[in-house]
Amino acid sequence: MHEAWLAQRDEIVQSAEKATQFLQAQVSTGPATAASTLGQPVFDRTYQQIKSSYDAKLGGFGSAPKFPRPVTLNFLVRYYARTGDKAALQMTLHTLRAMARGGMHDHLGGGFHRYSTDASWHVPHFEKMLCCGCGR
Amino acid sequence: MTDRQELRKKADATFAAFADRLGPQGAAVPQLVAALDFSLSKPKQIVIAGQAGAPDTRAMLRLVHDRFIPNKILLLADGGPAQQQLAEHLPFLKGVSRKDRRATAYICENYVCQLPTADLGVAAQLLDGTWKPRASQ
């Protein structure tokens, strides 16, 4: 890295500027929409997006590797509380139970590994995060 | 927690800034959508007046944790400095204390509180929204 910095400094700075511009273009959202116009349609669309990636047989979302996101489940139980849509609750419970039965769950030491390398929760990626996987 | 409008405005500005993304890409930012859900709900303030760790306080807390109340704001009023500090923003906390030396629940919706109760049965009904005052009492 030191060599690259000495030999190609201009190119690196240029490339960093391009990346910054790209990020700025991504983040700028144009005229802000009033927060008051946000509401049920946002919840419904988010729910449909999550639902369309749900693995009804094995639990979880998307295909392997299955990377559980607590925030997705947090949204789903809130959606259930708001709308009474039982499928939102079922998706959450089925996913959590599948995770608890599978290899991602550390049955000896407690807690959960970071993700499942396969779609059926057999083989975990052996890494635990302090934030959400440490268990007892 | 403290009903400070300037913080509410900042939160609304955050939602507004990400409005274009919240609709079409909500699944990518579920916690932001969950925060929007909270901001559009009527908050339920639950203040437990009691001593931290005491059995009656824990029993009251168990009632709350037994239920899924996504719009709750849960506070412990132990009579100590933290309560005094919060009361600077939330004046009603000043008068919150145990009744008959028992852990007492103050259950409020939209910053309007029900009568405080130290009775677990009544507190459970208040949390579930099924409590009705008896006419004969």
Side-chain angles (χ1 to χ4, degrees):
Chain A
M1 263 173 89
H2 181 61
E3 275 173 29
W5 181 245
L6 291 178
Q8 308 165 31
R9 186 168 173 166
D10 288 349
E11 287 164 49
I12 290 170
V13 169
Q14 246 179 15
S15 145
E17 271 169 12
K18 264 191 200 158
T20 307
Q21 282 167 11
F22 175 76
L23 286 173
Q24 278 170 345
Q26 290 289 306
V27 169
S28 70
T29 50
T33 311
S36 55
T37 63
L38 298 168
Q40 193 60 39
V42 171
F43 305 137
D44 291 339
R45 278 182 83 173
T46 301
Y47 176 55
Q48 289 306 327
Q49 288 160 21
I50 292 172
K51 198 175 179 183
S52 69
S53 72
Y54 176 59
D55 183 337
K57 190 173 164 225
L58 301 169
F61 304 89
S63 49
K66 276 191 178 151
F67 211 126
R69 300 172 74 204
V71 289
T72 299
L73 303 180
N74 185 28
F75 167 77
L76 284 175
V77 285
R78 283 173 168 275
Y79 188 83
Y80 167 65
R82 181 174 273 277
T83 64
D85 187 321
K86 285 228 164 101
L89 181 66
Q90 283 308 318
M91 277 187 248
T92 308
L93 294 177
H94 184 49
T95 297
L96 288 173
R97 285 180 183 132
M99 282 168 57
R101 273 196 303 266
M104 222 184 79
H105 182 193
D106 185 342
H107 293 262
L108 295 176
F112 284 85
H113 292 101
R114 200 156 183 208
Y115 60 87
S116 176
T117 59
D118 58 286
S120 48
W121 309 99
H122 281 170
V123 181
H125 175 77
F126 288 103
E127 176 189 12
K128 280 190 204 169
M129 303 292 280
L130 274 178
C131 64
C132 44
C134 44
R136 57 177 177 250
Chain B
M1 193 192 287
T2 53
D3 200 26
R4 285 166 71 179
Q5 290 307 307
E6 75 271 22
L7 296 180
R8 157 73 65 174
K9 276 184 195 150
K10 282 186 185 171
D12 283 346
T14 305
F15 292 131
F18 288 96
D20 292 352
R21 217 153 304 187
L22 274 167
Q25 295 168 41
V29 286
Q31 192 59 34
L32 191 61
V33 184
L36 179 70
D37 171 59
F38 184 84
S39 85
L40 295 179
S41 66
K42 285 183 186 168
K44 195 169 213 164
Q45 289 90 3
I46 302 166
V47 183
I48 312 283
Q51 291 171 316
D56 57 347
T57 305
R58 295 171 73 95
M60 211 46 110
L61 282 174
R62 186 175 296 277
L63 272 189
V64 177
H65 291 312
D66 275 349
R67 294 161 170 76
F68 180 58
I69 310 172
N71 57 337
K72 75 169 174 288
I73 297 167
L74 180 60
L75 299 171
L76 177 74
D78 61 359
Q83 183 178 348
Q84 281 174 23
Q85 201 174 356
L86 273 173
E88 287 172 22
H89 296 294
L90 224 50
F92 91 91
L93 273 181
K94 268 186 207 144
V96 166
S97 61
R98 291 185 299 163
K99 301 288 163 207
D100 304 326
R101 300 190 158 213
R102 291 159 68 203
T104 302
Y106 294 69
I107 296 162
C108 320
E109 207 155 283
N110 241 6
Y111 302 92
V112 177
C113 299
Q114 306 275 359
L115 278 179
T117 181
D119 184 308
L120 289 173
V122 173
Q125 290 173 32
L126 285 172
L127 288 172
D128 295 336
T130 56
W131 184 77
K132 288 194 182 68
R134 279 184 221 159
S136 59
Q137 283 187 341

